[in-house]
Amino acid sequence: MINMLGQVMLYVNNQDEAVKFWTEKLGFKVISDEDNGQGLRWIEIAPTTEIGTSIVLHNKELISKMQPELNLGTPSLMFFSKDLDQLYTDLSKQNVTVGEMVTMPTGRVFNFADSENNYFAVLEKK
């Protein structure tokens, strides 16, 4: 039985740039940075070191060669924030592309783009 979402796989073109974006712009922490010695590197990041769900950054080109049947598109991720206005301001000041703030039945939300123009959403629940 599945009881928790453990990791989200995010396939990126440049792992180092992706780590820089997520840590410097969003404040994520690197949980682990592993290399199998044969070119396969995976980097686990999370909003805090007390992780529940984390994101694993994989090299998109390498994974596509290893497993061409995989869909390597960006997953649609929804993050939560307790202070959406402050996060919006902080990201804007760091020149992160942010979308319009929208009020939904479940709360307020906006989108942001990472360094590879993948879009993600952030929700402040009602």
Side-chain angles (χ1 to χ4, degrees), residues 13-14 16 24-27 38 48-49 51-53 64 68 78 80 91 98-99 111 117 123-125:
N13 295 311
N14 186 319
D16 292 322
E24 293 180 9
K25 306 283 186 176
L26 277 290
Q38 299 173 350
T48 71
T49 54
I51 59 172
T53 302
S64 70
M78 173 74 76
F80 295 147
L91 293 178
V98 293
N111 292 323
N117 289 320
L123 173 74
E124 181 181 68
K125 289 183 177 182

Side-chain angles (χ1 to χ4, degrees), residues 15 33-42 57-63 66:
Q15 288 172 294
D33 187 340
E34 306 291 334
D35 189 322
N36 73 351
Q38 299 173 350
L40 181 60
R41 178 180 177 210
W42 59 97
L57 304 172
H58 284 285
N59 180 308
K60 185 185 282 188
E61 182 181 354
L62 180 63
I63 298 298
M66 291 173 55

